[in-house]
Amino acid sequence: MLSPLVLHQIQRFMHFVCSLMHSLLQVSYTSWFLDAFNYAIATNMDVLNLSIGGPDYLDLPFVEKIWEITANNIIMVSAIGNDGPLYGTLNNPADQSDVIGVGGIDYSDHIASFSSRGMSTWELPHGYGRVKPDIVAYGRDIMGSKISAGCKSLSGTSVASPVVAGVVCLLVSVIPEPDRKNILNPASMKQALVEGAAKLSGPNMYEQGAGRVDLLKSYEILKSYKPRASIFPSVLDYTVCPYTWPFCRQPLYAGAMPVIFNATILNGMGVVGYVDSPPTWHPSDEEGNLLSIHFTYSEIIWPWTGYLALHMQIKEEGAQFSGKIEGNVTLRVSSPPAHGEKDPRISICVLQLKLNVVPTPPRSKRILWDQFHNIKYPPGYIPRDSLDVRNDILDWHGDHLHTNFHIMFNMLRDAGYYVETLGSPLTCFDARQYGTLLLVDLEDEYFTEEIEKLRDDVVNTGLGLAVFSEWYNVDTMVKMRFFDDNTRSWWTPVTGGANVPALNDLLAPFGIAFGDKILNGDFSLLGEQNRYASGTDIVRFPRGGYVHSFPFLDSSESGATQNVLQASGSTKADSPILGLTVMGEGRIAVYGDSNCLDSSHMVTNCFALLRKLLDFTNEDLLWGRN
C-alpha cells in the first residue's frame, strides 16, 4: 500500500503542478504538462490523476506523452469534462482508450447534468465514436478540504476523477509490491473497473460507460486476475434500452447503410499486442447468417489498447425478415512472453451480439443524413453556429446524429422515420432507396461528380432534398481572428457556421443560393414561436417556388451600418429564409438556420418545421410513387 508519506508527496507535487497549469490570464501551455508528465515517468508513479482536459485531441505532443505515460505502466485517471448535458463533449486525455475516463453522478445515482457525454469524436466524420466515459463516480456536492482550513462542497468530473484515482490506489495496494508491475497495468485496471462496475438504470452507455465504480467487485476481479485481453463493451444487446442507445432505437434492415459499432480492445497481457487473424462472426442459429459484418481493427495494439469496429448490414435475402439475430464475435490477441516466460501470451476475446431486425421500410420512411461533408474542431478553426454564444467559440461537438443532433434523431424515430448515416461522398448511395437526403450545417466542399449526381437524383430519381444552412460572412470571419498563446499563431475561421459557397455550388443546378447576411430574431411559423439564431438568407430561388420571408436585423459586419440607420424607428426589412420547390421528379426544401435542430445552443427547436419539410419532400412517395 502507498505509505502516507508517499501519498503526501504526490499530493504536494500535484498541488504544485496544478498551481502552474494556468497563468494569471488562465492560459495553459502544453510544455507545462509535458514537464509534469516527465516527472511522473522519472519517479515511476503507479497512478496519476488529471482533473483537467480540453477538446484538442490532435495536440500530438500532449497525446503522445500520454501514450508514453501509459506505456511506462502508469495508470492514468482523467476527468471526462464538464460540458454536459451536451453529447460529443468529451475532454482529452480522458477520451483516449488507454486512459480511464471518469464521468460524474450525484448521490441518487443520476448522471450529473454537467458531466460530459460521449461518444468520442476522433473517428468522425467517416467512422463512429467509442464508448466513453469508461465509468462514473460521485462528483456532485462532494465534501473536500479547503486550502486554508475546514471543508467545502465540490462538484465536477474533476472531483469524480480523484475518487476513482483513490479507488485505483486501493486496488493497487491489494497486489503485493513484487508482483504489482507484472499484473497491474492501464488495461488490466480498466478491465477490473468496467467489469466490476454497477450499471445504472436510465442512462445510456455514452452517459455512464460501464456504470458506477464498485470497489469491492473490482477487488474480487483483481484477486484472481490472470493477464488476458477483452473487449469493452463486451455485449451489444438491442433489447436493453436505453442503455444501448442509439442502437436500440433503430433496428437493422436489408439495404441500409452499414451500422457501425466501435468497441475497445483491452490487452492486459502486455503493452504491445497483435490481432493474429481477422475477427470471426459466429451466429447462434441459421437466421444469424443473414447478418454481414465487415471488421476494421487495430492489427497492432499499443499502448495496451486498440479498437474493433463492426460495420453491420443485413443481406438482401433478409429483406422480409423480422426477429432477432444473436451470436458472438471472437478475436484472438497475442502478446510477447513476459519476463521469465517462453511462450507468447494468447487470449480469445468475445463480443456478444443480440440485434433486432425488421423488414426493409418503404422509401418514404427512409432518410439519409450526410455525415461525410462535416468538419469540426480540431483540426481547423471551425466557428460556432450561433454567434450569440460568446463562451464557446469552437464547433467541436461532432455534428453527428448521435451527438449534438441526438434529440432530433430521437424525434425522427418517434415520428416513424428510419435515419441512416452517409459516411462517404454523395456518389456512393442509391437514391432510389431514400425519400430524403438531409443536409444540415455542413462545412466541406463538394466534388463536381457529387453535384452532377445529386441533380440527377432529385430531377430524375425523385429524391427529396432538405437543406439547413448557417451563416457565412467574410467580414465577420475576419473579425473573429484571435491570437492563440499556446501555438503562438493567429487563428482565422476556415469557414462560417456552414460552408455556404460550397452549398451554393451544390444547389446551383436547381437555381438556389444562400446569401451572406447574419440574421437574428423571433418569428411565428406553423403556430409555433421560433428563434432564428445567426442564420442566413436566400438570395436566389427558382421561379414557381414558394419563399417565406420574415423581418430580421442583419448582425453581420457588413449589415451593421444599415442596422444603425434602421434603429431610429424604421421597420425591419423582410428576409427570405425558407424555400420550397418541386424540381422534376423530386422536391427541395431549404432553410437558412440549423441551430434549432442542434442541441448544443438551441433556444427553441424547429422539429415541427422539420417534420413538415420532410412531409413535403416525401409527399409524392407517400402517395405511391417509388
Side-chain angles (χ1 to χ4, degrees):
M1 179 178 291
L2 294 176
S3 68
L5 177 59
V6 172
L7 284 173
H8 178 64
Q9 289 174 336
I10 292 175
Q11 288 171 345
R12 285 186 60 195
F13 167 70
M14 291 311 297
H15 173 69
F16 171 70
V17 170
C18 290
S19 68
L20 290 180
M21 286 302 178
H22 291 92
S23 68
L24 293 177
L25 297 176
Q26 292 296 299
V27 174
S28 61
Y29 295 94
T30 298
S31 60
W32 297 349
F33 287 96
L34 302 186
D35 288 342
F37 295 156
N38 285 332
Y39 179 92
I41 294 172
T43 55
N44 197 29
M45 283 188 181
D46 292 311
V47 182
L48 178 63
N49 177 74
L50 193 65
S51 289
I52 198 170
D56 188 358
Y57 52 77
L58 292 182
D59 183 358
L60 288 183
F62 184 91
V63 171
E64 290 175 352
K65 183 60 69 172
I66 298 296
W67 290 339
E68 183 182 348
I69 279 185
T70 58
N72 275 274
N73 212 3
I74 297 174
I75 300 169
M76 173 167 277
V77 184
S78 184
I80 208 71
N82 298 324
D83 294 290
L86 305 179
Y87 281 62
T89 56
L90 304 175
N91 278 213
N92 181 262
D95 61 351
Q96 293 186 211
S97 58
D98 55 325
V99 174
I100 299 169
V102 182
I105 57 175
D106 60 24
Y107 288 120
S108 298
D109 282 351
H110 297 138
I111 301 296
S113 58
F114 54 74
S115 186
S116 289
R117 272 70 163 167
M119 57 184 159
S120 64
T121 57
W122 293 50
E123 301 79 3
L124 301 180
H126 305 144
Y128 196 83
R130 291 166 286 107
V131 174
K132 280 280 184 171
D134 296 300
I135 53 174
V136 291
Y138 296 118
R140 183 184 288 279
D141 298 328
I142 306 298
M143 296 307 295
S145 59
K146 291 182 179 179
I147 293 180
S148 53
C151 297
K152 64 178 179 179
S153 177
L154 303 170
S155 294
T157 58
S158 294
V159 181
S161 181
V163 170
V164 172
V167 168
V168 170
C169 287
L170 289 173
L171 293 173
V172 168
S173 70
V174 169
I175 308 299
E177 191 165 351
D179 303 327
R180 189 170 294 165
K181 289 292 185 180
N182 295 327
I183 295 177
L184 289 182
N185 55 61
S188 62
M189 182 58 71
K190 186 179 287 193
Q191 287 171 329
L193 291 174
V194 300
E195 293 169 15
K199 188 181 298 181
L200 306 178
S201 60
N204 65 56
M205 57 186 171
Y206 296 107
E207 294 175 316
Q208 65 166 307
R212 185 190 66 237
V213 64
D214 190 317
L215 172 63
L216 294 180
K217 288 187 178 179
S218 295
Y219 163 71
E220 293 297 327
I221 292 171
L222 277 182
K223 271 202 315 183
S224 57
Y225 182 82
K226 301 295 183 184
R228 56 183 169 82
S230 62
I231 296 175
F232 170 68
S234 60
V235 179
L236 176 60
D237 187 345
Y238 273 39
T239 67
V240 179
C241 224
Y243 180 72
T244 57
W245 180 94
F247 302 97
C248 63
R249 283 303 311 268
Q250 181 165 302
L252 299 176
Y253 48 87
M257 289 289 167
V259 172
I260 305 175
F261 178 66
N262 196 355
T264 298
I265 303 171
L266 301 173
N267 181 25
M269 300 185 296
V271 64
V272 178
Y274 306 92
V275 176
D276 292 333
S277 57
T280 307
W281 161 236
H282 306 276
S284 62
D285 52 32
E286 190 65 26
E287 283 79 10
N289 291 317
L290 295 174
L291 177 65
S292 172
I293 307 179
H294 170 69
F295 298 100
T296 53
Y297 54 94
S298 305
E299 296 184 12
I300 299 176
I301 300 170
W302 183 90
W304 309 105
T305 62
Y307 73 91
L308 171 63
L310 283 64
H311 306 249
M312 300 179 290
Q313 291 179 293
I314 300 299
K315 299 175 182 177
E316 287 303 322
E317 52 263 40
Q320 298 304 317
F321 176 75
S322 179
K324 291 181 173 55
I325 287 180
E326 299 183 52
N328 295 328
V329 171
T330 59
L331 183 76
R332 176 186 161 104
V333 176
S334 66
S335 280
H339 181 71
E341 297 178 350
K342 295 182 178 180
D343 299 322
R345 292 179 166 184
I346 305 293
S347 187
I348 304 297
C349 306
V350 178
L351 170 60
Q352 301 177 38
L353 298 182
K354 188 174 184 180
L355 314 174
N356 289 333
V357 183
V358 297
T360 302
R363 180 185 182 188
S364 61
K365 289 296 182 181
R366 293 176 63 180
I367 298 171
L368 188 60
W369 166 274
D370 182 4
Q371 184 66 36
F372 182 80
H373 294 94
N374 168 264
I375 305 175
K376 59 177 178 55
Y377 169 84
Y381 177 10
I382 311 298
R384 62 191 181 274
D385 297 329
S386 176
L387 297 179
D388 291 335
V389 180
R390 305 293 181 182
N391 61 348
D392 193 3
I393 66 171
L394 299 172
D395 185 0
W396 61 283
H397 298 168
D399 278 0
H400 192 280
L401 279 170
H402 304 152
T403 57
N404 52 321
F405 290 97
H406 72 282
I407 299 176
M408 182 197 74
F409 168 77
N410 288 337
M411 180 278 298
L412 291 173
R413 287 296 299 130
D414 290 340
Y417 287 104
Y418 293 82
V419 192
E420 302 172 32
T421 301
L422 178 65
S424 54
L426 299 183
T427 52
C428 300
F429 77 96
D430 183 358
R432 296 169 298 177
Q433 305 302 318
Y434 300 95
T436 297
L437 174 66
L438 186 55
L439 310 179
V440 180
D441 186 22
L442 299 177
E443 295 89 5
D444 208 350
E445 304 282 343
Y446 298 89
F447 298 110
T448 301
E449 294 82 0
E450 292 181 286
I451 296 172
E452 294 173 351
K453 178 180 180 292
L454 182 61
R455 181 192 178 281
D456 182 67
D457 287 342
V458 173
V459 175
N460 299 321
T461 312
L463 177 70
L465 180 63
V467 180
F468 285 74
S469 184
E470 268 299 337
W471 68 271
Y472 185 98
N473 182 276
V474 173
D475 292 336
T476 300
M477 291 160 57
V478 170
K479 189 177 180 181
M480 294 177 71
R481 294 178 75 231
F482 71 90
F483 186 79
D484 178 49
D485 286 296
N486 199 26
T487 60
R488 310 299 296 175
S489 62
W490 283 96
W491 283 36
T492 303
V494 298
T495 183
N499 192 338
V500 168
L503 273 177
N504 286 346
D505 289 342
L506 185 69
L507 298 174
F510 309 113
I512 299 172
F514 291 104
D516 66 350
K517 290 184 178 180
I518 301 178
L519 304 174
N520 292 275
D522 299 309
F523 66 103
S524 179
L525 184 65
L526 301 173
E528 295 189 1
Q529 283 296 119
N530 293 272
R531 173 70 179 175
Y532 208 68
S534 305
T536 190
D537 59 331
I538 299 171
V539 295
R540 189 156 62 97
F541 207 74
R543 187 183 302 274
Y546 297 90
V547 176
H548 297 265
S549 301
F550 298 91
F552 296 131
L553 286 178
D554 180 6
S555 61
S556 66
E557 290 301 302
S558 53
T561 302
Q562 181 181 357
N563 291 341
V564 170
L565 295 175
Q566 291 177 342
S568 60
S570 61
T571 59
K572 304 174 186 176
D574 280 356
S575 297
I577 62 170
L578 172 63
L580 308 169
T581 190
V582 177
M583 191 68 59
E585 295 292 316
R587 293 172 173 237
I588 301 176
V590 297
Y591 186 67
D593 185 24
S594 69
N595 280 286
C596 54
L597 301 178
D598 185 341
S599 59
S600 295
H601 305 297
M602 182 188 296
V603 178
T604 61
N605 72 68
C606 58
F607 297 150
L609 172 62
L610 174 60
R611 287 194 297 269
K612 289 292 186 182
L613 296 185
L614 293 176
D615 288 345
F616 171 77
T617 55
N618 288 327
E619 183 172 339
D620 286 351
L621 299 175
L622 292 170
W623 290 101
R625 182 177 59 78
N626 285 293

